[in-house]
Amino acid sequence: MADKADVTTYTVKQAMAAKVGDHIEIAVEAEDGTKLKLKGTPEQLDALVGDLEVILDEDDAKAEAAE
């Protein structure tokens, strides 16, 4: 991955995904109007989904523990 100094952070306004041929595309619009499209293999995006599930499950567990 690029050095952190070379990375621009955007806040997502909306995002959608679609299967196109043999790959998956994620279209993202940032709050500042920047639009980008990510293309990846199903395996790459499956790994990303797994990472997101772990993060969200941890957040849910922390919220439940705080109740």
Side-chain angles (χ1 to χ4, degrees), residues 2-60:
D3 185 310
K4 288 183 180 181
D6 298 331
V7 176
T8 302
T9 300
Y10 297 97
T11 300
V12 174
K13 178 179 178 182
Q14 63 180 8
M16 65 167 73
K19 183 160 175 78
V20 180
D22 64 347
H23 65 277
I24 296 170
E25 296 183 1
I26 300 174
V28 178
E29 181 179 3
E31 286 184 344
D32 71 353
T34 301
K35 296 178 183 177
L36 53 124
K37 188 183 296 184
L38 307 172
K39 291 170 62 172
T41 65
E43 294 79 16
Q44 289 170 318
L45 296 176
D46 189 44
L48 175 62
V49 168
D51 292 344
L52 293 170
E53 287 176 340
V54 168
I55 291 166
L56 294 171
D57 288 347
E58 288 174 355
D59 286 350
D60 288 346

